[in-house]
Amino acid sequence: MSWLDRVRNSIPFIAKRETQDTLWHKCPGCSQMIFIKEFQENLSVCPKCGHHGRIGAKARFEQLFDQGSWYLLASPQVADDPLKFRDSKKYTDRIKAARAATGEQDALLNASGRIMGHKAVVGVQDFAFMGGSMGLGVGAAFVEGARKAIAERAPYVIFTAAGGARMQEGILSLMQMPKSTVAIAELREAGLPYIVVLTDPTTGGVTASYAMLGDVQIAEPGALIGFAGQRVIENTIREKLPEGFQRAEYLLDHGMLDMVVERKDLRETLGQLIGFLCEDKAAA
């Protein structure tokens, strides 16, 4: 805050105006200032350079599902602080702050509805909730989403966005990796598709488990996807990594993804995929 802003804000009889932050969005990709309304109308994608911004679960559901066709699934209840963990703050305080900021119970939210007329259960990780980190709540929600898909004979579509496992839950967070893998096996036994859409960023234990086990692997343009960070890898192997390493386009070129799809095309692409892969046909 500048000196002038501090003085202005300290004077009680000067009316507070909307700040630049509420009217404009600075694109991380090209540093252009974009009118926030224009940015939101463009699905939180920069109209100048095409940078795909991070969005929450409910915004994602509104973009994907047929209007009026979807509903949220209840978040499963898990222990908030199983290890009584504390670093610079109590873990319970961090959870409370994340819930207050996002309005959600944990980092993964599921919804059931229709995409282009086809039934689907969709899970979305919100990076705004403690970096989308995977803990007991995320693991339980993933299993609930997969089993709801089995019950409805629908595909399970997961949008990943995470910094990895949640350190405050220690080994319990790592156990969500095999737990989610078992849920994916149940989907396959039921003959139902499991579709992954990797968004920015998808890293750590999430990448090492359910983010890379899809029947179809999709990513948004420019998404950071990897296990360890680029600097860690370079320091370990003592080599310079290629330009664009761990970005969606690089992974597509090297066979780790099936397609990279812009956000404006995701709804149609998923609808077509579900139509191809499932017996369920569009409602008459």
Side-chain angles (χ1 to χ4, degrees):
M1 184 184 292
S2 70
W3 173 84
L4 182 60
D5 288 335
R6 286 199 299 271
V7 172
R8 173 181 288 276
N9 290 340
S10 67
I11 301 176
F13 53 81
I14 293 183
K16 299 293 188 295
R17 297 181 301 178
E18 285 188 295
T19 67
Q20 189 182 51
D21 289 340
T22 63
L23 294 175
W24 298 90
H25 169 78
K26 184 176 181 180
C27 174
C30 63
S31 299
Q32 288 288 319
M33 298 300 294
I34 308 158
F35 190 43
I36 193 69
K37 185 176 180 182
E38 179 186 5
F39 181 65
Q40 291 171 345
E41 288 176 350
N42 202 43
L43 306 180
S44 298
V45 176
C46 175
K48 311 292 184 183
C49 71
H51 177 83
H52 283 53
R54 297 168 184 170
I55 60 175
K58 290 178 181 176
R60 183 78 70 178
F61 295 146
E62 291 284 355
Q63 292 174 12
L64 288 174
F65 285 118
D66 299 348
Q67 187 174 8
S69 75
W70 64 277
Y71 61 93
L72 291 174
L73 305 185
S75 297
Q77 297 297 312
V78 299
D80 278 349
D81 188 9
L83 303 181
K84 308 300 179 187
F85 191 94
R86 176 172 186 150
D87 45 64
S88 59
K89 290 182 180 179
K90 289 182 179 179
Y91 178 35
T92 50
D93 292 340
R94 292 189 184 278
I95 291 177
K96 288 175 184 176
R99 287 174 178 168
T102 63
E104 304 301 340
Q105 186 73 12
D106 215 302
L108 177 57
L109 199 62
N110 289 304
S112 179
R114 288 185 175 267
I115 300 175
M116 305 287 289
H118 300 285
K119 290 190 296 184
V121 177
V122 179
V124 177
Q125 278 182 277
D126 187 354
F127 194 78
F129 194 106
M130 296 186 69
S133 51
M134 175 182 63
L136 291 173
V138 168
F142 185 93
V143 172
E144 286 289 316
R147 290 181 176 166
K148 178 67 172 178
I150 293 169
E152 295 195 353
R153 299 297 303 166
Y156 188 38
V157 182
I158 186 77
F159 284 76
T160 61
R166 190 170 297 174
M167 57 168 280
Q168 291 89 350
E169 295 184 16
I171 190 65
L172 298 177
S173 66
L174 298 179
M175 290 304 297
Q176 307 315 303
M177 297 167 67
K179 182 176 180 178
S180 61
T181 303
V182 170
I184 295 167
E186 292 178 1
L187 278 167
R188 290 188 176 140
E189 287 174 7
L192 296 168
Y194 171 56
I195 301 171
V196 179
V197 183
L198 299 109
T199 72
D200 183 68
T202 298
T203 60
V206 171
T207 305
S209 56
Y210 56 84
M212 284 296 178
L213 294 175
D215 298 308
V216 181
Q217 296 284 136
I218 305 171
E220 289 191 326
L224 175 66
I225 303 163
F227 179 62
Q230 182 168 337
R231 185 171 58 184
V232 172
I233 297 171
E234 287 181 335
N235 289 340
T236 301
I237 67 175
R238 304 196 184 287
E239 290 184 17
K240 186 70 176 174
L241 294 170
E243 187 70 25
F245 179 76
Q246 292 186 324
R247 293 292 172 177
E249 292 75 12
Y250 183 93
L251 271 62
L252 177 65
D253 291 341
H254 289 78
M256 293 186 70
L257 298 176
D258 295 304
M259 60 185 86
V260 174
V261 180
E262 292 186 23
R263 190 169 292 165
K264 65 181 177 61
D265 299 322
L266 267 173
R267 171 177 148 80
E268 184 177 353
T269 299
L270 287 171
Q272 290 176 344
L273 275 173
I274 294 168
F276 292 150
L277 296 172
C278 294
E279 294 179 1
D280 167 59
K281 302 300 180 185

